[in-house]
Each structure stands twice: as structure tokens, then as C-alpha cells.
Amino acid sequence: MFSYRHAFHAGNHADVLKHAILVQILDYFNRKDAPYWVIDTHAGAGLYALDGEWAGQSGEVVDGLDRLLGAPQPPELVTRYLHAIQDFNPDGVANRYPGSPALTLRALRPHDKLRLFELHPTEIEVLESTLRHLGTSRRQVTIAREDGFDGLRRLLPPPTRRGIVLIDPSYEDKRDYRHVLQAVRDGLERFASGCFAVWYPLVQRVQAHEMARALERLPVEWLHATLTVRKPAADGLGLHGSGMFVVNPPWTLHEELRAALPWLTKTLDQDGHARHTLAISGQPRNATGEVPAARKPASRAGHPPAGRPDAQKRSPSRR
């Protein structure tokens, strides 16, 4: 039950997709002064040493974050993600990788709240140490040693009526696919306006495809992005890509992903078989799985493109 340690996979291609989208959602929520909550159902350790025993052993960062560092002309979505990584590596060398708790804390304002769930006994100890190191307040951040699927029900709706729910279990247990779907359905009953962000692996398991199709049938606004970086292995093992399904997404996310996914596909391609899809509710897919360009969402007045003024600064290197 407790075999999975995310440190093995920190900074890989799946983290790039998941965390680039998370950073965009957090930036969007910060456009309004009203407070919000972030609930992370499977928080992990929070911060990972890329030159340490775990990540160094797997080396997955080489085909993830490392490929982005120094790559020419990153799109806005990727640029903001790289800035977030840079903030945890002030010496300019990307040897630490922030997980979703750390990235969220970076974005939160004093009146926002973060609620974390983690059941792995070692991961939660590291997470608690990481949060102490980052100087977090107990009033702003709480950690529960509890199954996030169960704990989520207790926290919805948040008192602020604004919130982001990140759901990204390891999926080592095949039942996680069913639990994710049920968590989103139950969550929407309690918090219909909430932003639910679901990460899932692209693996040769029928449960992954069935869950994605079931999520797309939900009668809500959603966005669904996938990124495949290589051809699936002949033995059916391994992670060849990942997907993000976002319920009630920021209206800006679709256009940013339209610009970012082709760049990420080219940059993270491992064997010439990389591809991506992008779909939103209420609009048909074309032959490649994308929403036709002619149906892209219109812009709204008073909402300038998100991002930092220094968005063109060079991202950190690794050595």
C-alpha cells in the first residue's frame, strides 16, 4: 500500500504537465482579491532533491524538467512554471523540485488556505518538515494523515466558496480510478462552482481510459489535456504520458494550453511518437483530438494575459 514514493518521479514529464497547469490555475485565482482554499488530496513530500538518492536513482527529471531548461522560446504557460521552479532554486541551479504543496504555498496570499492530505507515513513526515522549513502558519496550512478521498468530503464546500481541489493519487491501486471519479461527482454535489483538477497517468490500463471517458460525460464545464511523450512499451509497462482533467477551468487555460502543448510535445518527445490532445466541454474534437481553432473561446475585457513582468527571464539551469 505504501510502496509509492513520488521522489522517484519528481520533475518528470508528468510533473511538468500537472504543475504547469496548477501554476496557471493558481495565478488565475489570484486575480481576484477574494480568498480561496486549495485542497490537495494526495500531497506527497512537498519538495524533492533532484540530486538526492531517490530522484537521482530514477533520473526521470532528465526527460522532464531538464529538457525545458534553456529550451528556446517557451510559451507563457511554461515560462510561468519555470519561474516557479526558479523561486525554489535561488542559486540558479535547479536541484530542488517543488511538489504541489510547495507550488501552492508560493502562490497563496495571507488570507488563502491550504489543506493537505497524505497517508504515506514517510511522506507525511517529510512534508511536515518541508512546511516547517518554508515557515508556514498553522492557521493557513493544515496536514491530515488521512485518505484524501475520505477527507475531501468533510471540507466541501470551503467557507470562502472559492476553491481548487487537486486530485492526483498514485493509481498503483486500480480502485483509485473509481475513487477519483466518485470524488469528483461527490465534490460537485457539495461544491458545484469549485475547480477540480484531476491528474492521471497514460498507461495501458483500461481503467484509465474508462475514467477519462466518464469524466467527459459529466454535465459541467471541463477541459481535458493529454501529453504523450513516447510510444507505449511493448510489454505494456511504464508511463508513456499523462492527462489533466479540469472541471470549471479558468477561461484562459484553454488558449494557454493551445500555445503550450505543441511546444511541450516537441520538447519532451522521446522517440518521435509524442503527441497531445486538448478538448473542452461542448465542442467537438478534430481528428487529432483537439478542439478546432475556429471554436476557441473569446477573450473578455478587463482580463489581461496572466504572468509576471519578468516572464522572459532565463530559467534555472541544472548541473
Side-chain angles (χ1 to χ4, degrees):
M1 181 178 180
F2 293 127
S3 61
Y4 180 84
R5 298 292 301 278
H6 188 70
F8 277 116
H9 313 289
N12 69 359
H13 58 84
D15 268 357
V16 169
L17 178 67
K18 173 172 61 177
H19 291 146
I21 290 176
L22 176 62
V23 168
Q24 197 276 349
I25 295 172
L26 290 164
D27 285 351
Y28 181 84
F29 267 67
N30 283 342
R31 292 182 178 188
K32 290 185 178 181
D33 292 334
Y36 62 92
W37 281 32
V38 178
I39 303 170
D40 193 335
T41 62
H42 298 78
L47 194 63
Y48 306 93
L50 293 176
D51 55 353
E53 175 185 358
W54 298 93
Q57 182 177 332
S58 70
E60 292 186 21
V61 67
V62 173
D63 285 320
L65 174 64
D66 276 4
R67 288 183 174 228
L68 273 59
L69 300 176
Q73 298 180 319
E76 181 66 23
L77 184 93
V78 176
T79 297
R80 288 205 308 276
Y81 163 71
L82 291 174
H83 274 302
I85 304 300
Q86 186 177 44
D87 285 348
F88 291 90
N89 296 275
D91 61 354
V93 181
N95 283 332
R96 297 201 305 171
Y97 188 84
S100 51
L103 289 170
T104 300
L105 282 169
R106 169 187 173 271
L108 291 190
R109 295 125 353 141
H111 55 302
D112 303 320
K113 308 287 186 184
L114 174 60
R115 299 294 181 256
L116 303 170
F117 293 96
E118 179 53 53
L119 199 55
H120 194 294
T122 304
E123 294 284 87
I124 197 168
E125 289 179 3
V126 178
L127 177 60
E128 290 170 344
S129 175
T130 296
L131 295 179
R132 286 194 298 271
H133 176 74
L134 294 175
T136 58
S137 163
R138 290 186 178 181
R139 294 186 61 184
Q140 185 173 36
V141 183
T142 62
I143 308 173
R145 188 172 299 197
E146 181 181 356
D147 186 329
F149 291 128
D150 295 331
L152 178 60
R153 300 188 188 99
R154 188 175 66 252
L155 297 183
L156 296 180
T160 58
R161 304 290 171 168
R162 295 186 75 215
I164 304 164
V165 178
L166 177 62
I167 305 175
D168 63 335
S170 67
Y171 296 96
E172 283 197 320
D173 186 338
K174 293 181 181 179
R175 293 175 296 179
D176 280 348
Y177 297 97
R178 185 175 70 252
H179 292 158
V180 166
L181 182 59
Q182 193 61 48
V184 175
R185 286 172 172 165
D186 290 348
L188 286 168
E189 288 183 3
R190 292 170 168 81
F191 187 31
S193 62
C195 177
F196 293 80
V198 174
W199 175 88
Y200 70 95
L202 291 181
V203 290
Q204 292 179 283
R205 275 184 176 180
V206 65
Q207 292 91 344
H209 303 288
E210 289 178 344
M211 185 191 75
R213 288 194 294 267
L215 287 170
E216 287 194 348
R217 290 194 293 268
L218 292 174
V220 293
E221 291 188 9
W222 52 258
L223 176 148
H224 187 191
T226 68
L227 176 62
T228 301
V229 298
R230 62 175 175 83
K231 185 178 180 179
D235 59 9
L237 301 177
L239 181 72
H240 57 269
S242 65
M244 280 289 282
F245 189 91
V246 185
V247 174
N248 296 322
W251 69 272
T252 54
L253 181 57
H254 178 257
E255 280 303 290
E256 290 204 38
L257 281 170
R258 275 175 55 86
L261 282 172
W263 187 93
L264 286 170
T265 301
K266 179 180 178 181
T267 304
L268 296 175
D269 184 11
Q270 295 182 16
D271 61 1
H273 290 86
R275 63 187 298 269
H276 65 272
T277 65
L278 178 61
I280 56 177
S281 54
Q283 295 190 355
R285 297 172 184 259
N286 61 22
T288 65
E290 291 189 294
V291 173
R295 301 293 301 277
K296 64 184 181 181
S299 61
R300 301 184 186 180
H303 290 274
R308 293 167 48 170
D310 56 347
Q312 298 305 314
K313 285 185 179 179
R314 182 178 177 82
S315 59
S317 61
R318 286 195 71 238
R319 60 171 179 261

